[in-house]
Amino acid sequence: MDSISRRSILAGGAAIGAAAGLGVAPARAQAWPNRPITMVCPWGAGGGTDQTARIVASILERDLKQPVSVVNRTGGSGVVGHSAIATAAPDGYTIGMITVEITMMHHQGLTDLNPTSYTPLALMNEDPPGVQVPGNSPYKTVKELADAIKAAPAGKFKASGTGQGGIWHLALIGWLGAMGLKPDHVAWVPSNGAAPAMQDLAAGGIDLVTCSVPEARAMIDAGKARSLAIMADQRNPQFKDVPTLNESLGIKYSVGAWRGIAAPKGLPADIQARFVAALKSAYESKEFQDFMAARGFGTKFADPAGFAGFMANGDKMMAEAMKAAGLAKKA
Amino acid sequence: MRISDRISGVFLALLGAAAFWGGSRLPPVPGQQVGPSAFPMVVGAGLVIVGILIALHIGRSFEEQAEAELAEHSQPDPEAELYEKRRQWLALLPPCLLVFYYLVSERLGFIITAAIMIGVLAWAFNARRRLILPVALGGAVFIHLVFFKVLRVPLAPGLLPMPW
Amino acid sequence: MVMALDVLVAILASAVYGLVVGSLPGLSATMATALLVPVTFYLSPIAAVATIITASAMAIFSGDIPGCLMRIPGTPASAAYTDEAYAMTKKGQAETALGICLWFSALGGIAGTLSLILMAPALAEVALSFSTFEYFWLAILGLMCATLVARTSPIKAIAAMLLGLLISCIGIENPAGTPRFTFGSTDLLGGIEVIPALVGVFALAEVMRALTQKDIPPIPHRRLGSILKGQWALTKAYPKQQVRGNIVGIIIGVLPGAGADMAAWVSYAMAKRFSKEPEKFGTGHPEGLIEAGASNNASLASGWVPSLLFAIPGDTITAIAIGVLYMKGLNPGPTLFTEKASSMYALYIIFILANIIMIPLGIMMIRASSHILRVPRALVMPVILVFCAVGSFATGGNNLFAVLVVAAFGLVGFTMEKNGYPVAAMVLGIVMGTMVEQSFVTSLIKSDGSILPFLSRPISAILALCTFIALFWPLFAWLRRYKASFDAASPAR
């Protein structure tokens, strides 16, 4: 009796599942989305990526008339979440927020996933790194700092901002490379994120921090640190006084931590188009812009083609920086 | 699951040796004086030393004193001790049920998996027979309601999706 | 900030939860806290911290109830004076015994809070100038403390701590950014998360233990008189005991790894040693009860001092709390007291509030205890098991791997405890491993590879000295004891 009823439940469940699958396939074009959408966030709740994902999800929800729930899938330094997005069914019901790490992790041999493992939908945000020095530092401009770094012996200057091989470390390596210096000319002090690095900067333990300007904001506002430049094409409208590297040094070097929305590979073109339209209007909405501005997050949009090109370019830059620093596995 | 100090000490020493060996094979990192290998090697070496000390029963006197102090505060109950000895392997059941959850919850869904877990454990605790089924189902549905509905934890629907 | 509705509801709900869980034998305050974490995940930062503070304080008190009525301590922190309290009950003074537990727990909690209010900001001023050199010694010192205070062989405590450090090596979150001991597993890349490990060690292991032990007999129904009657007289009669209990509790709370249970044992022993009538101890004498009850709740609040300042847990409960603080963006550190001072004030108020509402809620709990203690554990434990699974899944980033971590650590915790390895020392190792390594490696980078600053900076040197004393103390103690036992055994006497 027991086994029979269990088997029939199993069969019934399978039948429902099959029916649902069949029902979705032909009706997809008109009916999508007809059930809740999951947006995977590879980083923990409360962080910058999570906040960005949640605001995008809440705006998408209104546009698509279906709940969009953000699911944090953390672990494996982002690998778990990124692979959850890539390996989900490409039915338009699972999308995710991918981050700059996707252009870095595969060079380290941590995963096989790379930017081409996804159907790109839209780039939503980019935060370029700044060059921060202590408030009482003798260097008033980034040029003075750059000259001092060049003149100093290797390892004399200490920098921090994130862990070894993290995005801000690679940003520093790229900048040093653009000045014709070796990656270890400035010693990297690994830290657990930007906040402790900024604290150590204020306490005089290190000479510069290459985290994003919003991350350094609290210390800058308190007068304990100054931002000398940002590694971007243009100035940040919120921090108008901070020049770009190009302006002050004539170095065309830009890099940044970015976040974008992507779907598993093989997403039908019609669904992709619908998503892109929704994401574009979400990006342009006042709500999104205000939210990002309030948190000091940079905004940058790119459509699928632009996003793919952006990622390919970033991937190449990261490969070079990581190879130069001896961080890449396949040297 | 009382293991003699000899065995647990040797186990720790072997674990330490493995950590030392594994740590020593990690590549150095440019720009850092102490690479990723140093810490595991130090810890591993420490484990080897204390493992050997434990296997040699060094420091056992402290434990005996603590046990005596504890015994002073509780009355011996031979019946309870026998009971404990007879049931000691049953202690493996809860972790096994969690492994079961890991393996099948995606496929069966939360409600079915959780109900099985609660039912089996309640049975192992000698719960009254007629209480097992209602508690298993009620407990599973209640936890699902709290975590899925209120706290929005994405529990797997599996074969038996809930209407909320 | 405290007066927000969600915070007040959180305090009240977690108070009831803490009282109930603490009163159930076998369910410790640490377990109550560990199981709360998934819920705190969805609360505002202040509400999240409030639930932990309130639930742990309530659980420590309410662990006294079954100890007093049935001679079965609800939490290990009550074990030290269970006999005494039960003896009072046998003499027909159950009300007074429970009243002492409640009244002096609340007073002890408030004293502990005062120590937190006075000590922490002052220490924060000093700590602001700490660099990684000082943090390295602090971390090492914390680890040494954990092994010193263990109520078992210090060698086994060191082994447990080293095991914890080894576990903290797993993953890529190390200063070198190199994957270690991941065996090619993606899940291990991120390392062993602290919360699932703690749920395994404290909650699952408890379920496992319960499964092998006999069920407790149902509590006899008993009519209780006024709970608070006579407490004021006792407060006036034993002021020295109370203050001493508070101070000892505060000191033990600050020491990493030693928590409420240690405070109760030490204070009870002290009360006996300094008492004018030590012969009355064990026969239902309030003196030891007062001192120990005042002590364990005081340790609870002061345990937050090193946790908030240095991310070094003062006990197992704050080891969990640190995880929650990070999760909520209230990263522990001296800047917490300068940049987020208002959050800290809120925290103080919550502590005081929790200890005040403990009195009315505690009285209700005592009156309801005969009903609550009758809930069969055969029904409670299975639900806790599922809680372990779902809770760790939710806090571990909705990753089923966390459930496996709970299972593994349940097994480890259960086996360790059965064989005299202190679990708290391992937990401290897991929590602080990264800090030890990170501060050492970054210090070396900053000093261009020189070890000198570890010893030449003034505060660093003091901390180093303390560490070496702590390091050689067990050896010294062992030698002395060895000699003593040798003398005792020699036929010359």
Side-chain angles (χ1 to χ4, degrees):
Chain A
M1 180 63 197
D2 254 332
S3 72
I4 291 170
S5 65
R6 231 189 93 186
R7 202 172 297 162
S8 62
I9 291 171
L10 283 172
I16 294 167
L22 285 174
V24 167
R28 190 193 59 217
Q30 309 89 335
W32 182 89
N34 60 8
R35 59 186 169 95
I37 296 168
T38 301
M39 186 189 285
V40 176
C41 169
W43 303 99
T49 306
D50 178 67
Q51 289 178 24
T52 314
R54 282 180 199 275
I55 182 77
V56 172
S58 71
I59 301 172
L60 273 187
E61 196 164 289
R62 260 169 281 149
D63 194 336
L64 299 173
K65 308 264 184 318
Q66 280 291 339
V68 180
S69 55
V70 175
V71 171
N72 301 89
R73 286 292 300 270
T74 57
S77 292
V79 177
V80 172
H82 277 104
S83 81
I85 303 167
T87 55
D91 55 7
Y93 291 103
T94 305
I95 56 172
M97 182 150 260
I98 59 174
T99 61
V100 65
E101 279 74 14
I102 196 67
T103 62
M104 297 158 54
M105 296 184 300
H106 66 107
H107 298 302
Q108 278 172 282
L110 299 180
T111 173
D112 292 331
L113 296 170
N114 63 50
T116 61
S117 310
Y118 302 89
T119 304
L121 295 176
L123 178 68
M124 303 300 279
N125 142 276
E126 187 185 28
D127 288 316
V131 179
Q132 277 79 232
V133 293
N136 57 4
S137 163
Y139 312 113
K140 300 293 175 212
T141 66
V142 72
K143 180 140 193 353
E144 287 173 32
L145 176 68
D147 291 342
I149 291 176
K150 278 184 210 164
K156 174 88 174 35
F157 275 82
K158 321 275 187 225
S160 186
T162 181
Q164 181 86 4
I167 173 70
W168 304 140
H169 183 197
L170 296 178
L172 173 76
I173 291 170
W175 178 41
L176 292 174
M179 293 195 296
L181 295 172
K182 286 225 175 83
D184 55 357
H185 193 78
V186 172
W188 186 257
V189 181
S191 73
N192 277 327
M198 286 307 293
Q199 198 188 315
D200 211 2
L201 184 81
I206 46 179
D207 304 298
L208 63 152
V209 169
T210 50
C211 66
S212 74
V213 185
E215 285 173 315
R217 196 183 205 166
M219 284 291 178
I220 294 174
D221 289 348
K224 299 223 170 111
R226 277 179 292 127
S227 198
L228 299 182
I230 59 168
M231 305 185 197
D233 299 333
Q234 300 149 18
R235 292 190 180 200
N236 183 337
Q238 288 178 59
F239 303 94
K240 290 193 200 72
D241 306 332
V242 183
T244 65
L245 282 184
N246 192 16
E247 284 173 55
S248 41
L249 291 176
I251 293 174
K252 266 196 183 300
Y253 177 69
S254 66
V255 65
W258 53 263
R259 303 174 177 117
I261 307 284
K265 212 172 175 167
L267 187 76
D270 51 339
I271 295 181
Q272 186 187 12
R274 183 74 186 82
F275 261 130
V276 173
L279 285 167
K280 189 163 171 44
S281 70
Y283 176 84
E284 283 159 359
S285 71
K286 190 172 173 318
E287 192 182 347
F288 179 77
Q289 293 292 338
D290 285 352
F291 178 89
M292 299 298 272
R295 272 155 192 75
F297 296 156
T299 53
K300 182 170 188 168
F301 186 81
D303 61 4
F307 189 16
F310 174 85
M311 284 196 288
N313 186 30
D315 198 68
K316 223 168 61 205
M317 273 171 47
M318 290 301 160
E320 274 167 30
M322 294 177 85
K323 215 179 280 174
L327 295 163
K329 193 146 204 182
K330 297 161 249 173
Chain B
M1 259 182 292
R2 206 148 179 159
I3 313 165
S4 83
D5 281 357
R6 199 144 294 206
I7 294 175
S8 68
V10 168
F11 172 77
L12 286 172
L14 288 178
L15 186 73
F20 187 90
W21 177 77
S24 70
R25 298 188 342 140
L26 292 165
V29 166
Q32 293 190 1
Q33 286 83 356
V34 176
S37 56
F39 192 58
M41 284 169 76
V42 171
V43 172
L47 268 177
V48 171
I49 295 169
V50 295
I52 291 171
L53 288 181
I54 290 169
L56 294 177
H57 290 297
I58 289 173
R60 182 85 190 109
S61 57
F62 285 86
E63 271 177 271
E64 275 155 9
Q65 196 205 4
E67 275 162 21
E69 218 170 294
L70 206 68
E72 216 176 274
H73 283 263
S74 61
Q75 56 206 21
D77 185 354
E79 200 190 332
E81 270 164 36
L82 191 72
Y83 183 86
E84 203 171 326
K85 196 151 193 193
R86 222 174 330 123
R87 283 173 70 98
Q88 62 173 339
W89 291 109
L90 214 55
L92 289 176
L93 184 65
C96 288
L97 286 174
L98 287 185
V99 175
F100 171 76
Y101 184 91
Y102 173 80
L103 292 175
V104 305
S105 70
E106 299 260 87
R107 221 164 308 150
L108 294 185
F110 173 79
I111 294 283
I112 298 176
T113 320
I116 294 174
M117 284 166 76
I118 296 178
V120 170
L121 197 59
W123 174 76
F125 266 110
N126 299 324
R128 265 180 284 169
R129 286 283 163 80
R130 62 192 170 80
L131 273 179
I132 291 179
L133 195 66
V135 166
L137 288 177
V141 170
F142 171 73
I143 294 176
H144 189 268
L145 201 64
V146 171
F147 278 88
F148 187 80
K149 190 67 189 168
V150 182
L151 301 180
R152 291 184 150 228
V153 176
L155 299 173
L159 304 177
L160 199 67
M162 285 287 113
W164 43 73
Chain C
M1 238 190 289
V2 179
M3 290 308 142
L5 186 68
D6 65 325
V7 179
L8 291 179
V9 170
I11 290 178
L12 207 63
S14 54
V16 173
Y17 164 83
L19 284 170
V20 171
V21 176
S23 74
L24 295 175
L27 306 190
S28 63
T30 310
M31 176 183 185
T33 317
L35 290 178
L36 256 183
V37 174
V39 179
T40 62
F41 208 54
Y42 301 89
L43 300 174
S44 71
I46 296 296
V49 176
T51 55
I52 291 185
I53 292 173
T54 319
S56 56
M58 298 293 169
I60 293 283
F61 151 68
S62 116
D64 299 345
I65 298 176
C68 193
L69 297 178
M70 300 145 71
R71 202 170 180 245
I72 298 163
T75 65
S78 314
Y81 48 86
T82 292
D83 276 348
E84 193 79 62
Y86 187 67
M88 285 185 80
T89 304
K90 272 202 300 201
K91 276 166 49 181
Q93 300 171 346
E95 299 84 357
T96 320
L98 285 168
I100 289 174
C101 295
L102 180 60
W103 177 247
F104 290 94
S105 284
L107 289 186
I110 289 172
T113 312
L114 289 178
S115 79
L116 173 66
I117 296 173
L118 294 175
M119 239 194 291
L123 279 175
E125 282 298 314
V126 182
L128 268 177
S129 62
F130 279 19
S131 177
T132 44
F133 301 99
E134 283 80 26
Y135 272 98
F136 171 75
W137 288 119
L138 266 180
I140 295 281
L141 196 58
L143 290 175
M144 292 314 303
C145 272
T147 60
L148 274 186
V149 300
R151 293 183 49 77
T152 169
S153 141
I155 310 241
K156 283 193 173 175
I158 292 174
M161 177 201 80
L162 288 172
L163 191 65
L165 290 179
L166 188 61
I167 290 163
S168 79
C169 287
I170 296 173
I172 195 175
E173 307 285 333
N174 53 64
T178 310
R180 282 195 303 214
F181 305 125
T182 59
F183 307 104
S185 150
T186 303
D187 287 313
L188 283 177
L189 209 54
I192 299 292
E193 302 256 357
V194 175
I195 302 277
L198 289 177
V199 168
V201 164
F202 291 116
L204 184 65
E206 216 67 74
V207 175
M208 293 165 72
R209 211 164 298 138
L211 203 51
T212 61
Q213 280 166 0
K214 262 179 100 164
D215 207 352
I216 49 162
I219 180 174
H221 196 75
R222 178 192 296 273
R223 290 197 74 83
L224 292 170
S226 169
I227 305 285
L228 287 183
K229 202 173 107 192
Q231 296 309 329
W232 186 239
L234 281 171
T235 315
K236 278 194 291 190
Y238 296 106
K240 220 197 278 170
Q241 282 76 358
Q242 192 208 337
V243 171
R244 199 164 53 206
N246 288 341
I247 292 172
V248 168
I250 288 165
I251 293 171
I252 290 182
V254 171
L255 291 182
D261 36 349
M262 173 65 60
W265 282 102
V266 172
S267 283
Y268 184 79
M270 272 185 96
K272 192 170 177 183
R273 177 170 301 175
F274 291 107
S275 172
K276 288 198 193 81
E277 29 197 14
E279 71 284 352
K280 283 196 188 169
F281 275 68
T283 61
H285 186 56
E287 211 177 326
L289 213 54
I290 290 172
E291 184 151 348
S295 175
N296 62 4
N297 274 66
S299 78
L300 213 51
S302 68
W304 284 72
V305 174
S307 322
L308 290 169
L309 275 176
F310 309 118
I312 295 175
D315 54 18
T316 47
I317 291 169
T318 41
I320 301 170
I322 288 174
V324 173
L325 287 171
Y326 273 117
M327 218 156 67
K328 290 291 166 194
L330 290 170
N331 293 7
T335 45
L336 206 55
F337 292 85
T338 49
E339 282 169 24
K340 297 215 168 79
S342 61
S343 298
M344 291 304 106
Y345 293 132
L347 200 126
Y348 303 151
I349 297 171
I350 291 165
F351 260 114
I352 305 258
L353 203 63
N355 282 298
I356 291 173
I357 61 168
M358 180 190 280
I359 292 176
L361 286 177
I363 292 176
M364 281 194 260
M365 179 66 205
I366 291 170
R367 300 228 176 274
S369 59
S370 53
H371 299 287
I372 289 170
L373 290 177
R374 226 170 259 176
V375 176
R377 66 174 189 170
L379 305 181
V380 175
M381 289 294 177
V383 174
I384 287 179
L385 177 74
V386 177
F387 249 81
C388 291
V390 183
S392 57
F393 172 75
T395 38
N398 301 321
N399 190 345
L400 273 174
F401 177 69
V403 181
L404 280 190
V405 174
V406 175
F409 275 85
L411 216 54
V412 170
F414 181 78
T415 315
M416 281 175 66
E417 156 102 359
K418 276 258 178 278
N419 293 288
Y421 291 88
V423 170
M426 179 183 74
V427 167
L428 214 70
I430 299 177
V431 173
M432 292 176 40
T434 319
M435 188 196 227
V436 173
E437 187 179 12
Q438 178 106 17
S439 55
F440 185 67
V441 172
T442 52
S443 297
L444 275 188
I445 296 174
K446 284 193 226 163
S447 69
D448 294 314
S450 161
I451 304 221
L452 204 63
F454 281 107
L455 303 168
S456 63
R457 294 169 60 106
I459 301 179
S460 217
I462 296 168
L463 291 170
L465 190 68
C466 297
T467 309
F468 284 114
I469 293 172
L471 190 65
F472 291 110
W473 181 255
L475 193 69
F476 174 71
W478 182 74
L479 281 175
R480 213 175 50 171
R481 184 174 308 213
Y482 184 78
K483 193 168 171 292
S485 69
F486 186 78
D487 289 347
S490 63
R493 82 194 152 115

